[in-house]
């Protein structure tokens, strides 16, 4: 596939969507994506079968490609100490916290599923999987997409087999796709697109803060070949975000002057952009006391669960980009039509 079948990709969004959004996006002129990183192999097969029954349009399966770190008892003890005021506040015993669903990277099982169902597009966040796994994907004929957050990452992706490269600007909601660079090095979309356009030969997909006519057209003016849009879909009917997450986005859109997001690693161990809440503010957004991705999420989930029982957003990861102002309570089909009308 030399060209993608639409100029606009509905971004894969873990925790915010399932196949319903993918199908609606595909059937209404976009490239629909499915975030697969928390799905078991059985769930993944079911979701793909649901999509393939509902649409014959090309869709994008998205996986994480991070390395799984080794965790020491010392690191766990350090995290427990760091979180101890919150454990105390919510009467949580850290020794009894279940591990929950751990975000595992793309592996052999997922590659076999790609070989079986042959999606037209496969995308990765946090780099690319090992060469043998990547070759297995490419041998199916799927085009491969991955996110760069710096020019250096874009060059790496081009040299290591990505067919299309996402310029993920600092504005983007959710996890940074960074895999070579640090949070301090992250680049805004204008500068990232400009530098990538000068160096990168593969088609570029712009992402981050794109949601309306002006931002879509700005991305194309700056040299993007396609755009990928996430945050704009967060209030759509098919969005799977929690009622608390939905409420906080609505509240922040209504109160524009006080809307503020930040990058934080506190929820998962990797930097991600979300609406600022108590947990982020009290701990200065970034900490080296928490476990590395993906292990930090288990303890946070335990605290979040208790806080949400009290209807508090204080410990929830409220992923959201810097431009939520075109989020609307409409169907994905209606949002797709709106976005396409801006082209
Ligand atoms: C709630 C949420 C979840 C996300 N989850 C993923 C994911 O699972 N995989 C991925 O590649 N990108 C993920 N992203 C990042 C998007 O792919 C994309 O880079 C981003 O949404 C673009 O910026 P925008 O949010 O300003 O439109 C997520 C973004 C959001 C808002």
């Amino acid at each position: 596939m030399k060209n993608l079948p639409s100029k606009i990709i509905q971004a894969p969004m873990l925790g915010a969507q399932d196949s319903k959004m993918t199908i609606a996006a595909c059937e209404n002129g976009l490239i629909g994506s499915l975030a697969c990183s928390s799905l078991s192999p059985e769930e993944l097969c079911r979701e793909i079968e649901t999509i393939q029954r509902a649409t014959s349009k090309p869709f994008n399966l998205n996986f994480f490609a991070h390395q799984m770190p080794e965790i020491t008892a010392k690191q766990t003890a350090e995290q427990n100490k760091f979180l101890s005021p919150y454990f105390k506040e919510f009467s949580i015993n850290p020794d009894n916290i279940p591990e929950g669903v751990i975000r595992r990277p793309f592996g052999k099982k997922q590659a076999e599923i790609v070989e079986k169902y042959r999606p037209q597009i496969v995308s990765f966040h946090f780099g690319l999987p090992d060469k043998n796994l990547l070759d297995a994907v490419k041998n199916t004929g799927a085009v491969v997409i991955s996110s760069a957050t710096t020019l250096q990452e874009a060059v790496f992706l081009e040299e290591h087999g990505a067919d299309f490269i996402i310029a993920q600007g600092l504005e983007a909601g959710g996890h940074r796709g960074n895999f070579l660079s640090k949070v301090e090095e992250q680049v805004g979309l204008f500068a990232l697109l400009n530098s990538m356009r000068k160096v990168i030969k593969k088609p570029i997909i712009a992402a981050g803060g794109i949601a309306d006519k002006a931002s879509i057209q700005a991305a194309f003016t700056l040299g993007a070949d396609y755009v990928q849009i996430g945050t704009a879909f967060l209030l759509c009917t098919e969005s799977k975000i929690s009622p608390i997450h939905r409420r906080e986005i609505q509240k922040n859109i209504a109160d524009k002057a006080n809307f503020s997001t930040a990058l934080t690693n506190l929820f998962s161990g990797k930097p991600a952009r979300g609406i600022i809440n108590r947990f982020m503010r009290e701990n200065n957004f970034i900490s080296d006391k928490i476990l590395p991705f993906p292990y930090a999420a288990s303890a946070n989930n335990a605290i979040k669960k208790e806080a949400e029982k009290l209807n508090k957003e204080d410990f929830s990861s409220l992923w959201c980009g810097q431009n939520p102002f075109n989020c609307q309570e409409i169907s994905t089909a209606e949002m797709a039509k709106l976005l396409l009308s801006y082209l």
Side-chain angles (χ1 to χ4, degrees), residues 212 248-261 275 321-328:
D212 46 27
E248 291 307 304
I249 294 176
Q250 285 161 334
K251 208 166 87 189
N252 276 276
I253 293 174
D255 185 14
K256 283 194 182 58
N258 284 317
F259 168 72
S260 195
T261 65
I275 296 172
Q322 287 181 323
N323 181 10
F325 302 112
N326 204 20
C327 285
Q328 297 179 40

Side-chain angles (χ1 to χ4, degrees), residues 306-321:
E306 295 307 314
E308 288 196 349
K309 279 185 200 160
L310 304 172
N311 203 19
K312 287 184 192 262
E313 73 284 1
D314 294 346
F315 297 88
S316 308
S317 52
L318 306 168
W319 300 148
C320 182

Side-chain angles (χ1 to χ4, degrees), residues 155-184:
V155 170
F156 177 97
L157 294 175
E158 184 162 67
E159 286 173 353
H160 289 82
D163 300 306
F164 294 76
I165 301 175
I166 299 169
Q168 194 200 27
L170 184 59
E171 300 87 343
H175 280 95
R176 308 295 303 138
N178 60 314
F179 57 99
L180 300 175
S181 59
K182 292 199 168 142
V183 67
E184 293 85 351

Side-chain angles (χ1 to χ4, degrees), residues 61-82:
L61 291 187
N62 174 263
F63 300 92
F64 288 170
H66 56 288
Q67 304 291 325
M68 289 299 276
E70 292 292 324
I71 299 296
T72 64
K74 189 167 166 252
Q75 282 174 299
T76 306
E78 202 169 45
Q79 174 176 276
N80 285 347
K81 194 171 163 213
F82 174 69

Side-chain angles (χ1 to χ4, degrees), residues 241-291:
I241 59 173
S242 68
I244 286 182
H245 194 164
R246 194 173 274 272
R247 176 188 78 199
E248 291 307 304
I249 294 176
Q250 285 161 334
K251 208 166 87 189
N252 276 276
I253 293 174
D255 185 14
K256 283 194 182 58
N258 284 317
F259 168 72
S260 195
T261 65
L263 291 182
T264 180
N265 69 343
L266 291 166
F267 296 101
S268 70
K270 265 190 186 293
R273 182 173 297 285
I275 296 172
I276 296 175
N277 62 6
R278 177 183 154 200
F279 189 37
M280 288 160 79
R281 211 178 292 110
E282 283 182 355
N283 297 291
N284 209 16
F285 308 110
I286 303 283
S287 172
D288 60 3
K289 299 281 185 289
I290 53 153
L291 291 176

Side-chain angles (χ1 to χ4, degrees), residues 11-14 16 35 62 64 125 168 172-174 207-209 228-231 234 319:
M13 292 189 289
L14 197 63
N62 174 263
F64 288 170
H125 216 40
Q168 194 200 27
Q228 175 163 289
I229 297 177
T231 294
L234 288 176
W319 300 148

